[in-house]
Every structure is written in C-alpha cells, then in structure tokens.
Amino acid sequence: MNEGTDTNEPQKSPTSSLTTTPERADEIFLEGPRSRFDEFVTLLRVMRDFLRGFRVLHFVGPCVTVFGSARVQIDNPHYELARKIGAAIARLGFTVMTGGGPGIMEAANRGAKEIGGRSVGCGIELPVEQKPNAYLDRCVTMHYFFVRKTLLIKYSYGFVFMPGGAGTLDELFEALTLIQTGKIKNFPLVIMGTEYWRELIGFIEKMAQLKMISASDLSLIYATDSVDDAIGHIQRKAIKPFGLKLVRRVRRHLPWLGERGWPKGP
C-alpha cells in the first residue's frame, strides 16, 4: 500500500456508477460487489425508478395486466385475441396495463383504447430501443427489469398471459409464486393460447403429481381460449371477492409532488 493513501475515501472503479452509461448500469449492478459508494448510487437509481413509476401509475385505477410477446405481428391470430381481451377487460371497468411495447402488448392496449377504456404501459429501456406503442394514455419507462415487474404486479387485480418468450415466462412464474406464497392476494391468473402453452401446463401438472407443488396450486391457473370464459373468471375472482366497483370520480393528485392525475372525462 502506498504511503499517504486514505483507506476511508471511496475509491471509484473504472465502472463507477457515476461515470457509466445508463445502458451499462444494470449490467454492472449484477456483476458482483463494488465500492460502497457505487452501491449507494445504484440504490438511488433504483429509488428514482420506483418514484417515477409511482408518480405516473398511482392514479390509473385498478388494472388487469396483459403479458405477451413483443414479436407477435398484427396478422397473427394471437394479436387479435389479445385485442379482444383488452377490450373486454376495459368494458369491465379495469385499466388495461401492459409492458407498453409492440406485439401482444400493443394489441391489448389497442383493444382497450378502441372502446374508450383506459390503457397504460410500463416499459423498459433496452439496448435495442423498444418504443411505446401508439395506444397508451399513460406510459412510464423503467431502467431496471425488477422495478418494472414489481409495478406491473403492484397495480393489478388480475393477470392475463398470452403467448410469449422468456420474459413472459419469467412474469408468469413471478406472479404465480407471489400468489402461491401469499405475498399478494389470490388474484386471477389466466393463460390464453392453450395450444402454445400445452407443454408448460402439462409440466406444471407433472410438478403437482410429483409433489413439487401442492395439488391445490393447480387451481391458481385458469387456461382458456375463450374471451367470455376469461372475463367470467376475472369477474368471479377479482371483482366479487375484492368488492371492486366502477367509480367515475377522479382522484385528486398533487402536481407539486410530480404526480400525474387522470384527465376528467366528458
């Protein structure tokens, strides 16, 4: 050690939280322990992400979140199914929430918007930019995936999972685990596109057979291709148990806190 070095001073690494680009910040966060100073800066970044999300989404009302692939094109039957379920959710009085991107997310937001319902998105910054779709009344873009997942679950009274990739699987099992362990209430979890999910549903049934999960856990998932059946399940498991009702009054927001209220209807 060189003489005169103050070991109490924070030492900035070549990948300091202050000097790194936003695109690299979460990458560096997951690389392992860093200086206390860098970890503190990361904590502030995470807090900023949550605060931005809270400010934008606090007034959107009870949501049902629709998950699914960003890669689904408009001519795909699953796009039209997501559009129909988005419209049907909005007719119940829920706000349709998605990850805010293209594909299934766009379809669900579009369905809600087309019938005059509320449509919001909680997006994510990616190296390859994923622009918010054109059917959003509100949108907030997060930096950290885990913050985004928390917000997509926090404001929702139900979840609909359409065909998707690794991200959709992650979100499915995150919601299922939170319900299974009692961290969130027993909100309805609907899987649509049953042919796509057939092997996964079979594997979950296998887990129950082998007692890796309880047989009662199978009742937490409702699989259907019928919009009417999905909506009926959401009504039974979300609206009635939690006493939700359609409220026309717009909640008061505080602009000095950076909050964004919902515009008054006609």
Side-chain angles (χ1 to χ4, degrees), residues 46-64:
V46 171
M47 185 173 69
R48 181 183 62 184
D49 242 18
F50 273 118
L51 281 174
R52 288 177 57 245
F54 293 159
R55 286 171 174 175
V56 173
L57 300 175
H58 185 68
F59 296 92
V60 298
C63 299
V64 170

Side-chain angles (χ1 to χ4, degrees), residues 253-259:
H253 68 286
L254 301 176
W256 60 274
L257 287 178
E259 296 175 344

Side-chain angles (χ1 to χ4, degrees), residues 16 25 33 40 62 83 86 88 93 96 104 113 139-140 149 156 166 172 177 184 216 231 233 235 249 261:
S16 168
F40 178 69
R83 186 176 171 183
V96 173
I104 293 292
K113 191 73 171 171
C139 183
V140 60
K149 285 199 300 179
S156 292
L172 168 60
T177 301
I184 62 175
S216 60
I231 292 302
H233 183 72
Q235 285 179 310
R249 180 175 58 86

Side-chain angles (χ1 to χ4, degrees), residues 102-145:
I104 293 292
M105 297 173 280
E106 174 187 293
N109 289 132
R110 180 178 178 180
K113 191 73 171 171
E114 286 175 337
I115 63 102
R118 293 181 172 186
S119 172
V120 300
C122 186
I124 186 73
E125 294 175 12
L126 295 173
V128 179
E129 186 178 5
Q130 187 181 99
K131 294 181 179 179
N133 67 65
Y135 303 98
L136 299 170
D137 296 306
R138 286 281 188 276
C139 183
V140 60
T141 302
M142 314 315 299
H143 183 73
Y144 294 98
F145 263 112

Side-chain angles (χ1 to χ4, degrees), residues 229-257:
D229 287 349
I231 292 302
H233 183 72
I234 292 171
Q235 285 179 310
R236 291 191 301 273
K237 297 294 185 177
I239 294 179
K240 293 179 181 178
F242 301 107
L244 298 179
K245 57 183 179 181
L246 189 61
V247 177
R248 298 293 184 185
R249 180 175 58 86
V250 178
R251 295 174 61 193
R252 181 170 174 265
H253 68 286
L254 301 176
W256 60 274
L257 287 178

Side-chain angles (χ1 to χ4, degrees), residues 181-195:
T181 56
K183 295 298 182 181
I184 62 175
K185 297 184 184 297
N186 189 4
F187 297 133
L189 195 160
V190 178
I191 290 179
M192 301 193 75
T194 54
E195 179 58 30

Side-chain angles (χ1 to χ4, degrees), residues 44-45 70 80 87 91 113 166 174 210 244:
L44 294 178
R45 287 177 181 266
E80 185 59 26
R91 288 191 186 98
K113 191 73 171 171
E174 173 97 5
L210 296 176
L244 298 179

